[in-house]
């Protein structure tokens, strides 16, 4: 090929490759343990594609060591920014110091982290989990006039969503002497484990002290509890009220069918605010708050059918 012919090819290659991806972002995701988590991942991928961002996605299968490995890999690749959705709160300082040394900004999304210095991350984008616990507890106390023997399905041990939702819920029921959590165990935010734990609760609870409600830290475990309640010959949503957090389509469907009673919506659309803050930072604007929080509403059977239709086709 003569040099004259070569120049346009070189120019095309240079333009083509640089125009394809202006920004590269590494995203360390917890896993795919729940419908909400899957929606969150899909929303981030769709948003990155929409913006022409080269997204390096890693699913940690709920293991922090996999998240740390992924962050180290992103650093080695020299990405422009890193998003971490942390599985648990502790153990992040060393790898965030490595990102800091590499001058790569880190955005924490969803659950929180406990670090020695909050300059190790740019900002956190998350829902107010404690408020979610308060809202769902208020709904349950209003519905039962504060008389309720509760079974609790906790989320992942050490996860902010589990810690803070429980704190908010417990603060509300502390005002009702006849509202008590009589059984509590982690269902690890999964449907299968939620069913298994609810089965054990139902087997061990004295027949003359029936549960009034099951309080689940996410919809996924609650849907597992619904299966266990049915297999025990009881009517979920009637014999035992079912309340949770997330607002996933399957849960709205169960509410429309009368099997569950209420949930607090947690938006999975966390990609847009994450990329907004990254683009802002990379453009040189350092005026970024340490917390960008979202909130969700309580949804009940009254609007479940129409809300399900809206979400099922998203
Ligand atoms: C809460 C999030 C939780 C969801 C669960 O923001 O961390 O993790 O409520 C998911 O569905 O497993």
């Amino acid at each position: 090929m003569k040099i004259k012919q070569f120049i346009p090819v070189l120019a095309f290659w240079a333009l083509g490759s640089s125009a394809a991806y202006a920004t590269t972002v590494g995203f360390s995701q917890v896993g795919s343990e729940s419908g909400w988590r899957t929606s969150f991942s899909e929303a981030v991928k769709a948003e990155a594609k929409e913006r022409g961002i080269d997204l390096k996605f890693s699913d940690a299968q709920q293991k922090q060591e996999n998240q740390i490995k992924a962050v180290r890999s992103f650093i080695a690749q020299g990405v422009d920014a890193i998003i971490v959705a942390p599985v648990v709160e502790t153990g992040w300082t060393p790898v965030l110091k490595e990102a800091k040394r590499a001058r790569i900004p880190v955005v924490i999304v969803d659950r929180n982290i406990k670090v020695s210095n909050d300059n190790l991350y740019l900002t956190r984008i998350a829902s107010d989990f404690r408020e979610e616990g308060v809202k769902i507890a208020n709904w349950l106390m209003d519905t039962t006039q504060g008389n309720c023997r509760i079974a609790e399905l906790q989320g992942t041990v050490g996860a902010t969503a589990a810690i803070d939702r429980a704190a908010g819920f417990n603060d509300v029921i502390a005002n009702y002497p006849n509202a008590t959590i009589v059984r509590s165990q982690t269902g690890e935010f999964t449907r299968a484990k939620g069913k298994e734990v609810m089965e054990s609760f139902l087997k061990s609870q004295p027949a003359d002290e029936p549960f009034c409600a099951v309080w689940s830290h996410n919809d996924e475990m609650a849907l597992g509890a619904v299966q266990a309640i049915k297999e025990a010959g009881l009517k979920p949503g009637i014999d035992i009220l079912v309340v949770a957090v997330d607002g996933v389509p399957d849960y709205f469907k169960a509410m429309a069918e009368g099997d569950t009673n209420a949930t607090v919506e947690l938006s999975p659309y966390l990609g847009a605010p994450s990329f907004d803050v990254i683009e802002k930072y990379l453009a040189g604007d350092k005026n970024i708050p340490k917390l960008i929080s979202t909130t969700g509403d309580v949804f009940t059977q009254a609007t479940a059918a129409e809300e399900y239709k809206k979400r099922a086709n998203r």
Side-chain angles (χ1 to χ4, degrees):
M1 180 184 281
K2 293 198 179 95
I3 187 66
K4 277 187 188 165
Q5 289 167 308
F6 183 63
I7 289 171
V9 172
L10 184 66
F12 175 78
W13 175 81
L15 276 175
S17 58
S18 60
Y21 292 119
T23 305
T24 302
V25 175
F27 176 25
S28 170
Q29 176 59 293
V30 165
S32 52
E33 74 284 355
S34 71
W36 179 85
R37 183 71 55 189
T38 306
S39 299
F40 170 16
S41 297
E42 284 163 10
V44 172
K45 289 174 186 172
E47 189 65 26
K49 190 170 177 201
E50 176 75 22
R51 296 183 186 215
I53 288 170
D54 178 13
L55 186 73
K56 312 277 184 196
F57 178 83
S58 161
D59 173 333
Q61 294 166 351
Q62 292 217 88
K63 292 183 174 65
Q64 184 179 34
E65 63 264 28
N66 291 343
Q67 290 203 277
I68 290 170
K69 276 186 207 141
V71 172
R72 288 197 165 116
S73 165
F74 298 148
I75 294 169
Q77 295 175 61
V79 298
D80 297 301
I82 295 170
I83 299 170
V84 176
V87 61
V88 292
E89 295 188 331
T90 54
W92 295 100
T93 298
V95 74
L96 292 182
K97 282 184 175 172
E98 293 166 33
K100 190 86 179 170
R101 278 197 294 276
R103 303 170 72 79
I104 299 175
V106 176
V107 173
I108 302 299
V109 180
D110 185 39
R111 301 174 191 175
N112 205 354
I113 58 173
K114 285 194 186 326
V115 286
S116 50
N117 171 357
D118 70 7
N119 285 331
L120 289 175
Y121 64 95
L122 186 57
T123 187
R124 174 173 172 244
I125 298 168
S127 172
D128 182 337
F129 302 130
R130 191 190 166 285
E131 192 54 28
E132 293 166 348
V134 166
K135 287 178 178 176
I136 203 69
N138 281 327
W139 182 89
L140 186 62
M141 292 303 101
D142 291 348
T143 304
T144 61
Q145 292 78 47
N147 298 294
C148 200
R149 189 178 293 115
I150 303 160
E152 179 184 36
L153 295 173
Q154 298 170 22
T156 301
V157 176
T160 317
I163 296 165
D164 290 2
R165 283 172 185 166
F169 189 95
N170 294 343
D171 284 354
V172 168
I173 68 169
N175 300 308
Y176 297 85
N178 296 324
T180 318
I181 293 176
V182 294
R183 300 270 175 195
S184 182
Q185 190 179 323
T186 182
E188 296 166 12
F189 281 133
T190 69
R191 194 173 304 199
K193 192 74 180 164
K195 181 185 180 198
E196 184 189 310
V197 172
M198 191 66 195
E199 282 167 350
S200 69
F201 286 170
L202 289 164
K203 283 194 186 99
S204 55
Q205 187 62 15
D208 61 348
E209 295 175 18
F211 295 122
C212 135
V214 53
W215 148 229
S216 174
H217 291 186
N218 80 334
D219 291 354
E220 212 68 39
M221 294 186 292
L223 292 169
V226 163
Q227 291 169 345
I229 293 166
K230 285 181 175 175
E231 288 172 12
L234 298 168
K235 298 186 197 71
I238 299 171
D239 297 329
I240 300 178
L241 299 176
V242 182
V243 299
V245 181
D246 275 354
V248 297
D250 282 356
Y251 194 89
F252 276 100
K253 184 169 184 286
M255 266 201 296
E257 291 164 356
D259 289 342
T260 60
N261 301 88
T263 188
V264 180
E265 184 174 40
L266 172 68
S267 170
Y269 301 103
L270 300 170
S274 302
F275 294 132
D276 285 347
V277 83
I278 287 169
E279 289 171 347
K280 184 176 173 183
Y281 179 83
L282 294 178
D285 183 345
K286 305 295 186 236
N287 178 28
I288 293 165
K290 219 60 195 167
L291 174 64
I292 300 167
S293 70
T294 61
T295 54
D297 295 327
V298 177
F299 288 87
T300 66
Q301 291 178 356
T303 61
E306 64 183 283
E307 291 298 337
Y308 173 62
K309 281 202 194 88
K310 278 189 222 168
R311 287 159 175 75
N313 306 317
R314 262 180 189 164

